[in-house]
Amino acid sequence: MTLPSPGGHRHGGDPTNEPNIDLSMNETPYPPLPSVRRLVMGGASRLHRYPDHAAAELLATLAARLGVPAAQLVVGPGSAGLCQHLIQAIAPQGGTVVHAALSFEAYPLIIANAGARPVPVPLADHRHDLTAMADAVTADTRCVLVCNPNNPTGTVLHRAEIERFLDRIPPEVVVIVDEAYREFVTDPDVPDLVAVAGDRGNLCVLRTFSKAYGLAALRVGYAVAPPGIAAAARLRGAVFFPSGPGQAAAVASLDPVAEAELLTRCAELARHRRQLSDQLAALGLPVVPSQANFVWLTLGTDAEAFTAHCRRAGILVRSHPGQGVRITVGDAAANRRLVEVAAEFVVTDRTAVAS
C-alpha cells in the first residue's frame, strides 16, 4: 500500500527545478524553541551513549504536566508509531479496526501492519460520521480510530457528540483518539480528552511533539491509555526509543516558560490559518473551516490540476486525487505566495470554483 504523493519531491533531482516552498507535510513554519535547540545541540557530545530505555524523566514530566499516573503513559515514535503499537497490543490476533475515510492516510497501512483489517466509514460533511462509525462496530471490532482535528479536512468533533459516541461503544472495544493537532485548536467546544481518559476504561489518546512543538525530525509522541493497554503497548515499542536528544527536547518543551512561548506561536498560526482561509474563500475556492495547522480545499476532480499548478510555481501541497488538496499553513511570505498562485489557478481554470 502506498501513500498519496505530495505532488513533488523534497530532495533529489535537479535542484534548480525543485519547489522552494513546502506546504505539503503539516510541519510548523517555526523552528524549535531557542532553549530546546540549545539543549539538543549541546547534547551532540553524548551521541555515543544510549538513551534511557525507560524514558523516566520524560514520563515523570508528562505525568506531572498532564495530571495522569505514569502507568497510563506510553512514549514512542510520534503519534503514528504509537498508534501502531496500540493496535498491535489491542488486536494481537487480528480483527477489525473502524476508522473514518477520508482521514489520516497512513491509518489503513498502520492497521494492516498490525495484522488487523481496516473498516473505513465515509465522512459526512467533511467530518467523522460518529453514528455510522458506531454502527460499524461488530463482534470482530477491536478498535475504533478517531482523528480530532481530522487530517486532512481540519474539522473537529465537539464534546457532546464525542460523549454520545463513547457511550455507544462496547467497553471491550478500544477507542483511540489521535489529537496530533490539539495545540492548534481554538474552538472551546473541542474537549481535551486527556482530561477524561481516566474515566473511560477503553479510551486512548495520542499526542505528538512533531507538530506544534517543532520536533518532527526527533519523532517523539505519547499516549494516555488504560494501564493494561499501556503496558502491552510498551512491549511493542523499539528498545531505546525515543532517542536521547528526542527525550531531552520533549522534556525541555514542557517547561512552563517554553510552553508559554509555544502557545503564543500556536495563536499566531491560528491567525494565519484564518487569514489564509478567508483569502482562498474570497477567490471562490471551496475551503473547509479548519482547527488544525492546515486548510482543506474540496477541489474534487480539480485537485491534481491545482497541485500541479502549485508545483510549477515552486510550491508543494498535498493532493488527494479526486477529493481535495491539503495546504499547510506556512509563514506570512509562504501564505502570501500561495494565495497569489491560487488566484492564478482560478483565472486559468474556472472549473475550480464550480467544484
Side-chain angles (χ1 to χ4, degrees), residues 109-132:
L109 181 60
I110 289 171
I111 294 166
N113 283 346
R117 181 169 61 85
V119 177
V121 176
L123 298 178
D125 194 25
H126 314 299
R127 302 171 73 245
H128 285 60
D129 187 340
L130 293 182
T131 299

Side-chain angles (χ1 to χ4, degrees), residues 240-303:
F240 299 124
F241 204 99
S243 68
Q247 292 183 37
V251 170
S253 296
L254 294 168
D255 177 85
V257 174
E259 279 210 307
E261 184 175 353
L262 173 81
L263 292 175
T264 299
R265 288 182 170 190
C266 289
E268 181 179 15
L269 190 137
R271 289 193 295 272
H272 286 311
R273 177 183 69 205
R274 183 171 59 251
Q275 182 180 44
L276 178 61
S277 296
D278 290 346
Q279 291 173 336
L280 292 172
L283 295 174
L285 292 169
V287 186
V288 174
S290 174
Q291 286 287 302
N293 69 328
F294 51 83
V295 298
W296 174 246
L297 303 183
T298 56
L299 288 170
T301 57
D302 284 323

Side-chain angles (χ1 to χ4, degrees), residues 200-228:
R200 300 273 184 173
N202 63 341
L203 176 61
C204 303
V205 183
L206 297 174
R207 298 274 180 86
T208 185
F209 289 91
S210 295
K211 306 302 181 184
Y213 289 90
L215 303 180
L218 295 178
R219 305 304 301 146
V220 187
Y222 62 91
V224 179

Side-chain angles (χ1 to χ4, degrees), residues 152-186:
T153 62
T155 52
V156 289
L157 300 166
H158 294 129
R159 189 179 314 277
E161 60 187 328
I162 291 178
E163 289 176 353
R164 288 194 300 270
F165 170 73
L166 292 173
D167 288 341
R168 285 196 60 194
I169 302 302
E172 67 274 14
V173 175
V174 177
V175 178
I176 300 176
V177 181
D178 186 346
E179 294 189 337
Y181 301 95
R182 168 70 199 178
E183 291 82 4
F184 303 111
V185 172
T186 57

